[in-house]
Amino acid sequence: MYAFMGIGSVVLVAAPFVIGVWMLRACGRRLRHDPRRLGATLGLIISSVATLIVAGYLSTQGGHWVGNVATDAGGLPVVGWSPRVGDLRVPHFFATHAMQVLPLAGLALCNSGRRGYPYLIAASAAYLLFTAAVFVQALLGRPFFSLAAY
């Protein structure tokens, strides 16, 4: 059953990539003038690639924790992320949700009246670097957010 779930997950994650590449080819130069389309296109492509990398690694592990804790007890409210050890669900969350965040950034730039192309490219690169940094942080066994100071 786990193998079938993995195949289904790859199909679900690859589909947005295909749609993003199709939008990139279909819209071409118009993407420079419409931050909403560019945000949607970049969001689909970046989300698919980042999610395949993070989820691919996550699926090869025995669990989502990196460290000595093997329980979700005491996790952060709502999301359940571990405040004590690295948790691979954190970069998975950010990788997957690029397809919502980047179109919203494009919409915000469109409504601001600024020419959105360079800002959206920079925002996309920053989001991707942030996701990579959170992934490395989890791999090092460090929690994304710790409640120890509170």
Side-chain angles (χ1 to χ4, degrees):
M1 204 55 159
Y2 189 77
F4 286 125
M5 183 186 74
I7 292 167
S9 298
V10 169
V11 169
L12 287 174
V13 173
F17 178 80
V18 171
I19 294 168
V21 170
W22 175 78
M23 288 174 62
L24 187 64
R25 294 183 70 184
C27 295
R29 293 188 176 269
R30 290 182 296 185
L31 290 175
R32 286 183 171 260
H33 304 293
D34 190 354
R36 294 170 297 184
R37 283 186 187 169
L38 180 61
T41 302
L42 290 175
L44 290 169
I45 293 170
I46 289 172
S47 176
S48 294
V49 172
T51 300
L52 279 173
I53 293 168
V54 173
Y57 181 80
L58 177 59
S59 69
T60 64
Q61 303 307 302
H64 50 81
W65 306 281
V66 178
N68 292 331
V69 174
T71 179
D72 282 333
L76 294 175
V78 180
V79 291
W81 298 337
S82 175
R84 293 179 294 241
V85 297
D87 195 332
L88 293 169
R89 294 176 296 180
V90 178
H92 184 272
F93 173 85
F94 288 113
T96 302
H97 291 289
M99 68 175 74
Q100 287 90 26
V101 172
L102 296 177
L104 287 174
L107 181 63
L109 284 170
C110 191
N111 291 337
S112 72
R114 293 187 174 144
R115 184 162 186 241
Y117 181 77
Y119 295 108
L120 197 53
I121 296 295
S124 299
Y127 191 86
L128 187 57
L129 286 173
F130 171 76
T131 303
V134 171
F135 186 44
V136 170
Q137 180 181 6
L139 291 175
L140 293 173
R142 296 184 186 141
F144 176 66
F145 182 76
S146 178
L147 298 175
Y150 299 101

